Amino acid sequence: SSSSSSSSSSSPPMACRASNAVACGVASGRGSCGGGGGSIGLHRRPLAGRTRARGFAVLAHHWAGGPSQGASGSVDGQRKRVCVLLHGILGSKSNWNTPARRLLTQIGPLGWRILQLDHRAHGQSPAGEAPHTMEACAADVLETLLAAGVEPERDELVVCGHSFGGKVALAVLRSLLESGTPPPRTTWLFDSMPGRPAPRSTEEERAEQSVSFVLGVVEAAASPGLYADRSALVDALASEHGLAKPLAQWVAQGVKPSACGGGVRLGYDVGAVRAMYDSYQATDMWQVLEAGTADIGIVVAGRNRHAWGDENLSRLDALRDRRVQTAVLEGAGHNVHVDDLPGLLKVVEPSFV
């Protein structure tokens, strides 16, 4: 899951920090001065979000178009139609602001609403308690849906995830299937590999400014603790750690004032984020696709084929008769929602009709 070179202030290489939110349980308390797997079960089990103890209430979330666009209405007096958007690692729900507005103009008249979430330890959501796994992230999503008035057993869902968020979407699907809950209409993965990415050298990761490389830089930059100001952090990220200037500026958007007065620090809980990313890398979800029990769509970024590797792409081709559809956006890098938003919306639109 490598990052693309294209960026913008609203949708940078992997996402900017959240701008506003409806609600999250408690403050994360992140930082101080200085500083999965498994197969689909054949038995029914309770929906994860209803039973799991947690260290916070729900994820920070936002209804595209404002609170009035929330899931209070229904299409037939009972069922609601909700599209859930899940961002990538180091991103936030504001990643989706522009795509959500565009999509809402198309599907809003059909009764659909769009919910954007911050994963744990991202945006305005607290880190919560370990373990920070795909299963835990899926439980976060399901509990937040329930808190927002969305019932997966009753309502119609389309769940879309970019990169890390795509595998969380598959984990949500797996949890629903294991509990005997009807799956979403479609679960969409945007340049997100169900299994493990193709191996690449450290030099390739650095040259591509991949997600793995950027996360390593964030960890290294967080260890000194305080920086004089945001500009000093940008300079350190670029000159000392090798980030391209646009990426350095984007990462530095996540700064927070020091609790000790004077200076700024990176706002990420890097331990939690690293655990989440390691779980993403290690978790194999191919069995969810191969089961053929739900409709799944996968969008491959044409300019990011090398990150998939021939084995993953061949495995995708073999699933065309298993309720898995694949689309390739040839001109797009990893951030398909930035590089080819019209093409992406055209691909997903039939899921809402």
Side-chain angles (χ1 to χ4, degrees):
S1 123
S2 67
S3 71
S4 164
S5 59
S6 65
S7 65
S8 71
S9 59
S10 59
S11 294
M14 282 175 294
C16 57
R17 303 295 290 170
S19 58
N20 58 48
V22 180
C24 136
V26 296
S28 64
R30 294 180 217 157
S32 58
C33 291
S39 59
I40 298 176
L42 298 178
H43 59 287
R44 292 172 66 98
R45 69 182 192 182
L47 201 55
R50 292 188 184 278
T51 60
R52 186 175 180 273
R54 58 202 316 102
F56 58 92
V58 296
L59 298 174
H61 54 282
H62 168 77
W63 289 103
S68 64
Q69 296 296 317
S72 57
S74 62
V75 294
D76 58 6
Q78 292 184 325
R79 293 177 300 118
K80 301 166 185 175
R81 290 178 166 177
V82 178
C83 172
V84 183
L85 299 179
L86 305 175
H87 63 78
I89 207 77
L90 292 175
S92 76
K93 62 185 176 298
S94 62
N95 241 137
W96 295 111
N97 286 349
T98 297
R101 283 194 298 267
R102 292 276 298 275
L103 180 60
L104 189 60
T105 63
Q106 298 177 2
I107 68 174
L110 300 175
W112 288 89
R113 299 296 177 258
I114 300 175
L115 186 64
Q116 302 162 234
L117 308 179
D118 281 334
H119 294 299
R120 58 169 58 200
H122 288 73
Q124 294 181 326
S125 289
E129 300 173 353
H132 302 293
T133 60
M134 291 292 99
E135 183 178 29
C137 290
D140 293 344
V141 171
L142 289 168
E143 182 157 327
T144 302
L145 288 177
L146 295 172
V150 182
E151 292 277 352
E153 296 95 336
R154 174 198 64 201
D155 299 329
E156 293 184 86
L157 298 177
V158 172
V159 182
C160 306
H162 173 244
S163 194
F164 172 87
K167 196 170 281 187
V168 175
L170 280 180
V172 168
L173 171 60
R174 182 172 65 181
S175 180
L176 292 174
L177 292 172
E178 288 178 339
S179 68
T181 303
R185 274 195 179 193
T186 311
T187 299
W188 280 100
L189 283 66
F190 300 154
D191 211 45
S192 177
M193 280 144 263
R196 299 185 179 185
R200 285 173 291 167
S201 68
T202 302
E203 293 74 19
E204 289 173 320
E205 297 272 12
R206 183 184 183 94
E208 295 166 8
Q209 302 275 287
S210 70
V211 174
S212 179
F213 173 74
V214 174
L215 179 54
V217 168
V218 168
E219 290 176 306
S223 60
L226 294 179
Y227 294 85
D229 52 29
R230 184 172 176 271
S231 295
L233 174 59
V234 170
D235 290 342
L237 291 169
S239 61
E240 297 176 24
H241 300 288
L243 276 193
K245 192 66 173 287
L247 263 176
Q249 292 171 330
W250 167 72
V251 168
Q253 292 182 55
V255 299
K256 292 185 177 181
S258 167
C260 302
V264 298
R265 61 179 177 83
L266 279 170
Y268 297 107
D269 183 327
V270 293
V273 174
R274 166 55 70 182
M276 293 165 69
Y277 185 70
D278 287 348
S279 178
Y280 164 79
Q281 292 280 76
T283 302
D284 190 324
M285 289 283 189
W286 280 110
Q287 74 277 12
V288 181
L289 283 72
E290 291 165 348
T293 53
D295 292 311
I296 298 171
I298 298 182
V299 175
V300 176
R303 293 196 284 111
N304 199 38
R305 277 194 179 93
H306 58 277
W308 284 76
D310 293 338
E311 181 180 348
N312 282 326
L313 292 174
S314 296
R315 202 165 177 180
L316 268 187
D317 287 338
L319 293 175
R320 293 187 182 276
D321 60 346
R322 297 286 187 93
R323 299 176 68 179
V324 177
Q325 58 177 308
T326 303
V328 180
L329 297 181
E330 293 292 351
H334 179 55
N335 293 299
V336 292
H337 55 299
V338 176
D339 295 342
D340 189 3
L341 180 55
L344 182 65
L345 296 182
K346 184 177 180 180
V347 167
V348 303
E349 188 175 6
S351 297
F352 302 96
V353 176

